[in-house]
Amino acid sequence: MRKRLTVNFGLKILAFFIALFMWLIVVNIDDPVTDKTYTGIPVQVINEEVVTSANRTYQIVDDTQEVSVTVTAQRSVLNDVKAEDIVAIADMKEMSLGTQIPIEVKIEGYKYDSAVSNPRNLQIQIDDEAKNNFPITPTTLGTVREGYVIGELKANPEKVTIRGPKTVIDSINRVVAEVDVSGLSSDTEVEARLVLYDANNNVIDQSLLANNLGKEGLTVEVTLHQIKSVKVELDTSMVTAADGYKISEISVEPQEVRISGSKSALARVTEISVPASALTAVNLTQRTERSIDISQYLPEDVSLVDENADNVVVTIAVEKPGAKNFEVSTSSITVNNLDSNLELSYGSVVDLEIQIKGPDATLNTFSIAKKVSIDLKDYTRPGTYTVPVSVELPSGCSLVNEVSVEVILEEKQEQEE
């Protein structure tokens, strides 16, 4: 038996190594060593007391708080490794040059050849620690239920103390309590989110900052006001026409405005009364418009829903006896002889007022539609012109005064195919 084992012993050893070598080749072909890159791996900073113990702090710069990690291992291992299995650690005890901390990568429970981060160093900026008190300004997201508007907002607390790197603290321009009011229909207190902005209205990262809000957090008291529509009433007793003329109509636009306030405050308001002193116009001979700020005639506890709608326009139409006013939109003017190379637009006037005198029976049945035109045969170059308006009048009638309109002529723009 022993003789059989020792016969050709060298060949048997060689055969063993050849078999082992072939096995390794087969294994590597079937499960080769390769690499895979994982992105968005957060870097954990340890031993921060190296910096913080000296009343200093730090901030991560150059976007190195997250790294990508390339892992080299057999394919079967890489198929099992997930991004959350990878731990990237920056130990401040290993800091060099005062700004760089080498990043060590660990993957517990897996066998791998190497794991390298990119970048390989955490870049930090060491700064003095500072703190400051800031007022909190409430702001809202979303829209309250129809029929309501935001009345008052009150942050709780109204101030916050923020601590962190001095350069970051100094960059804080305003502190906001952001609250979602979508669908609210009653007064309530809503949990808010603290948002910091710099002077350029950029949001400031708070990861290296601390505040004194504690477990109670930040809330905003939201007070809602109801909405009501009321008419604008004018005292026109100080509006008069000149001798030989008469006031034919006084109108206001808009005729109604929306106001907001508490339920009891709105119940006391039935209209907005504009006094005669705000609408003094005497000896008028032509149509006149006045803009009036109505916000000053609201009770103190009531406000306009649209703060930009505080002005109303009062239009005073003036006629001569035996005459009648007709309003014509510039869009309805018939244009004759417009040069084919030009295009037309009108100036700031939207409506023309045309006064026609004649028998009442004729004027009462006269329709000015399609009776107004302009002739542009003498206007062949681009520019702004005042062009006389022609009116096709019924028999026995005439214009009280000449009418013209401002037109803007521009060269046509060639259309791209």
Side-chain angles (χ1 to χ4, degrees):
M1 184 67 154
R2 182 176 180 182
K3 184 176 181 180
R4 290 180 180 179
L5 290 175
T6 57
V7 171
N8 298 325
F9 183 74
L11 291 176
K12 292 177 180 178
I13 294 296
L14 178 60
F16 170 78
F17 282 107
I18 291 174
L20 178 62
F21 178 71
M22 294 300 294
W23 178 81
L24 290 174
I25 291 176
V26 171
V27 168
N28 279 279
I29 290 175
D30 192 44
D31 191 10
V33 174
T34 184
D35 56 61
K36 182 178 179 180
T37 299
Y38 301 80
T39 59
I41 308 300
V43 179
Q44 301 177 16
V45 181
I46 63 174
N47 294 318
E48 294 173 297
E49 63 275 8
V50 171
V51 172
T52 58
S53 60
N55 290 326
R56 307 186 79 189
T57 186
Y58 70 94
Q59 55 181 315
I60 301 172
V61 297
D62 297 338
D63 294 326
T64 55
Q65 62 269 27
E66 286 188 353
V67 295
S68 60
V69 174
T70 300
V71 181
T72 302
Q74 289 183 309
R75 180 183 294 167
S76 59
V77 175
L78 294 179
N79 288 338
D80 294 335
V81 173
K82 300 179 179 60
E84 51 266 30
D85 298 325
I86 302 173
V87 179
I89 298 174
D91 189 345
M92 280 202 167
K93 289 183 178 180
E94 305 297 327
M95 181 170 54
S96 63
L97 303 177
T99 59
Q100 295 184 355
I101 307 171
I103 298 172
E104 181 184 0
V105 178
K106 295 181 179 180
I107 312 174
E108 296 292 342
Y110 293 94
K111 184 179 179 181
Y112 56 94
D113 291 355
S114 64
V116 180
S117 70
N118 182 26
R120 296 196 175 191
N121 294 297
L122 182 73
Q123 301 289 337
I124 67 168
Q125 177 181 318
I126 297 178
D127 198 357
D128 292 332
E129 188 176 66
K131 67 177 180 179
N132 202 352
N133 296 322
F134 298 92
I136 301 176
T137 303
T139 186
T140 62
L141 298 173
T143 306
V144 297
R145 185 172 296 179
E146 187 175 353
Y148 296 87
V149 293
I150 300 294
E152 292 90 31
L153 298 171
K154 182 181 178 182
N156 182 25
E158 296 181 346
K159 292 184 178 181
V160 62
T161 300
I162 302 176
R163 186 179 71 254
K166 187 176 186 303
T167 53
V168 179
I169 298 297
D170 291 343
S171 71
I172 298 175
N173 179 255
R174 60 190 178 99
V175 177
V176 168
E178 194 175 82
V179 61
D180 189 352
V181 297
S182 299
L184 290 186
S185 59
S186 61
D187 299 347
T188 186
E189 187 170 2
V190 184
E191 185 176 344
R193 184 171 73 97
L194 188 71
V195 185
L196 313 180
Y197 292 93
D198 62 18
N200 296 320
N201 212 35
N202 297 315
V203 176
I204 296 174
D205 181 13
Q206 299 183 54
S207 58
L208 295 176
L209 301 176
N211 58 59
N212 65 337
L213 294 178
K215 295 181 179 179
E216 292 76 13
L218 178 63
T219 60
V220 172
E221 296 177 13
V222 182
T223 302
L224 299 184
H225 286 169
Q226 290 184 322
I227 296 175
K228 180 180 181 180
S229 293
V230 293
K231 288 186 176 181
V232 179
E233 296 292 340
L234 306 173
D235 184 341
T236 61
S237 60
M238 298 184 70
V239 178
T240 62
D243 291 342
Y245 294 84
K246 67 176 182 179
I247 305 296
S248 62
E249 183 184 16
I250 300 176
S251 61
V252 60
E253 185 63 34
Q255 298 178 0
E256 289 186 346
V257 294
R258 296 193 306 163
I259 59 175
S260 65
S262 64
K263 186 175 181 179
S264 59
L266 293 182
R268 298 193 298 268
V269 182
T270 58
E271 63 183 31
I272 299 177
S273 300
V274 178
S277 59
L279 190 59
T280 301
V282 297
N283 297 324
L284 300 180
T285 60
Q286 60 184 358
R287 171 177 168 165
T288 302
E289 289 187 351
R290 293 287 175 85
S291 179
I292 299 176
D293 182 0
I294 60 172
S295 61
Q296 57 188 312
Y297 306 118
L298 294 173
E300 290 185 359
D301 50 357
V302 172
S303 61
L304 293 168
V305 173
D306 185 356
E307 295 179 353
N308 297 319
D310 50 359
N311 285 328
V312 298
V313 177
V314 179
T315 302
I316 307 168
V318 181
E319 294 181 350
K320 266 195 168 186
K324 185 175 180 180
N325 290 342
F326 296 86
E327 281 194 358
V328 178
S329 170
T330 53
S331 61
S332 65
I333 297 175
T334 301
V335 179
N336 298 319
N337 299 314
L338 174 62
D339 191 291
S340 59
N341 294 320
L342 299 176
E343 55 186 9
L344 166 72
S345 62
Y346 292 97
S348 58
V349 175
V350 176
D351 296 317
L352 299 178
E353 184 183 72
I354 299 176
Q355 289 192 39
I356 303 175
K357 62 181 179 180
D360 288 344
T362 302
L363 294 178
N364 289 337
T365 59
F366 174 67
S367 173
I368 203 168
K370 298 182 180 180
K371 300 291 197 312
V372 179
S373 64
I374 56 175
D375 191 345
L376 300 178
K377 65 180 180 180
D378 295 329
Y379 305 90
T380 59
R381 295 184 177 181
T384 301
Y385 304 96
T386 300
V387 179
V389 175
S390 297
V391 182
E392 185 181 337
L393 298 171
S395 177
C397 296
S398 61
L399 292 175
V400 174
N401 53 354
E402 297 295 327
V403 182
S404 60
V405 64
E406 183 182 80
V407 300
I408 302 169
L409 300 178
E410 297 176 310
E411 291 185 357
K412 284 185 176 180
Q413 300 294 323
E414 293 185 3
Q415 294 184 352
E416 296 182 0
E417 292 185 359

